[in-house]
Amino acid sequence: MGKKIFSGVQPTGNLHLGNYIGAIKNFVDLQNQKGNECVYCVVDLHAITTKQDPKILKSNIRETTAAFLASGIDPKKSIIFNQSLVPSHSEGSWMLGCIARMGWLNRMTQFKEKAGKDKEKASVGLYIYPVLMAADILLYDATHVPVGEDQKQHLELSRDIAQKFNLDFNAPDFLRAPEPLIQKNFSRIMSLKDGKNKMSKSDPSDLSRINLTDSKDQIVNKIKKAKTDNDPLSDDDKNLSDRPEVENLLGIYSSLNDQSLQNSLNEFSGKNFSEFKKKLAEIVVEKISPISIEINKLQKDSNYIDIVLKEGGERANKIASKKVSEMKKIVGF
Ligand code: AQP
């Protein structure tokens, strides 16, 4: 039987290779597997949990949608929409927020990381972000959610919320506990400048990430400047445990070539970094440049993007509003 897939990406700009390898590439593969029903959402309600400039947000919504389309998500096969078009996400989130416990949310590491030292100044939205994410998923009865490793804890919370809702209201199986789909290998792409931090949109250094909109020259230059070390490459993967930058670059190479890390190690054993980086730049350019060209092309046709989102929003609304109506009845409204 096919899977019901839901996943989202925040329109917070600077979409990067980590988002592509950890999420979007997987979205396309799942869409193309027979029998799957996929819903891919530009999660703009999530984006405003941190401050956004309204004009830039609008253009980021279009850019993220363009990145979906350019990567191969097909609006005829999958539902593509932006979250704020479907009010049921907010309504469902409120009801689920009354089910989730403070203690559960207090354990969420992403809030701790994003709020930083000054938790008191973080928005309430950032704190309840995982509840909205639970609503996103549960409204579509998603069976599987493709996410990067960093979202695993939020997925577990969605499962807990679903189970507690069903139990509290004696509605067995009403909300379906979703399974995370996390790639076994290379699920966390790290910064090109520091292998201990994940590649991220908000890193102030543009050299830390490869953006999906980077030109060929920018890609080649960033890979040239990526941090490595002085030791040569060897075919023994145990040597990588304290070489996070090298492991990350080999992971990117392996993932884009659909091959194991060991195969990549065998390929470059005894060779120097300039040779490896040349090959790495070639494969990144081969996979990312067509996407980048297509994103730029699509962005010139914002009308088309808006139509895709509107039509996707209408389809999503049918599914989500039905589920929210059922939820309201169960709650007693
Ligand atoms: N470095 C990464 N490696 C693998 N997967 C990643 N994802 C994000 N960064 C990496 C996955 O991309 C999907 C969409 O992520 P998001 O829109 O929720 O953004 P994010 O996780 O907040 O992305 P950033 O870059 O980390 O943004 P900032 O800098 O704002 O924190 C998710 O499935 C995520 O796992």
Side-chain angles (χ1 to χ4, degrees), residues 102-167:
M102 294 275 286
W104 298 356
L105 288 175
N106 286 340
R107 286 198 286 274
M108 295 298 113
T109 52
Q110 193 183 73
F111 175 76
K112 289 180 197 157
E113 279 163 20
K114 290 205 168 177
K117 286 200 189 85
D118 204 353
K119 276 208 305 252
E120 300 292 314
K121 286 210 174 124
S123 72
V124 176
L126 189 66
Y127 182 69
I128 57 169
Y129 177 117
V131 177
L132 175 60
M133 181 166 159
D136 298 340
I137 297 164
L138 300 174
L139 288 180
Y140 297 87
D141 291 327
T143 57
H144 295 84
V145 182
V147 280
E149 178 71 33
D150 56 325
Q151 292 293 335
K152 195 170 164 216
Q153 195 184 32
H154 290 167
L155 245 291
E156 278 155 12
L157 184 87
S158 299
R159 295 175 59 86
D160 290 343
I161 293 176
Q163 278 155 5
K164 184 162 164 47
F165 184 97
N166 293 347
L167 206 67

Side-chain angles (χ1 to χ4, degrees), residues 70-242:
S71 303
I73 301 176
D74 177 351
K76 291 200 192 76
K77 293 185 187 160
S78 300
I79 297 180
I80 306 174
F81 72 108
N82 59 309
Q83 199 181 18
S84 61
L85 287 177
V86 180
S88 303
H89 288 251
S90 308
E91 275 190 290
S93 171
W94 180 259
M95 287 184 266
L96 297 181
C98 298
I99 295 294
R101 305 290 95 181
M102 294 275 286
W104 298 356
L105 288 175
N106 286 340
R107 286 198 286 274
M108 295 298 113
T109 52
Q110 193 183 73
F111 175 76
K112 289 180 197 157
E113 279 163 20
K114 290 205 168 177
K117 286 200 189 85
D118 204 353
K119 276 208 305 252
E120 300 292 314
K121 286 210 174 124
S123 72
V124 176
L126 189 66
Y127 182 69
I128 57 169
Y129 177 117
V131 177
L132 175 60
M133 181 166 159
D136 298 340
I137 297 164
L138 300 174
L139 288 180
Y140 297 87
D141 291 327
T143 57
H144 295 84
V145 182
V147 280
E149 178 71 33
D150 56 325
Q151 292 293 335
K152 195 170 164 216
Q153 195 184 32
H154 290 167
L155 245 291
E156 278 155 12
L157 184 87
S158 299
R159 295 175 59 86
D160 290 343
I161 293 176
Q163 278 155 5
K164 184 162 164 47
F165 184 97
N166 293 347
L167 206 67
D168 283 3
F169 292 105
N170 193 19
D173 303 325
F174 173 67
L175 294 178
R176 191 167 188 166
E179 297 287 340
L181 276 180
I182 297 173
Q183 293 181 75
K184 285 194 186 64
N185 303 313
F186 329 119
S187 58
R188 204 171 165 86
I189 303 301
M190 311 310 275
S191 156
L192 299 181
K193 292 270 129 200
D194 174 358
K196 290 194 192 73
N197 283 326
K198 74 167 190 160
M199 187 176 282
S200 124
K201 295 166 182 164
S202 55
D203 193 316
S205 167
D206 195 53
L207 289 175
S208 70
R209 66 181 160 261
I210 292 175
N211 300 305
L212 295 188
T213 49
D214 279 346
S215 67
K216 286 182 191 171
D217 289 348
Q218 282 171 311
I219 294 173
V220 172
N221 185 38
K222 285 179 179 179
I223 291 178
K224 237 187 227 161
K225 292 198 169 138
K227 188 173 168 196
T228 48
D229 54 40
N230 297 324
D231 298 336
L233 286 157
S234 98
D235 56 7
D236 180 3
D237 69 347
K238 284 176 205 73
N239 287 342
L240 290 177
S241 52
D242 47 2

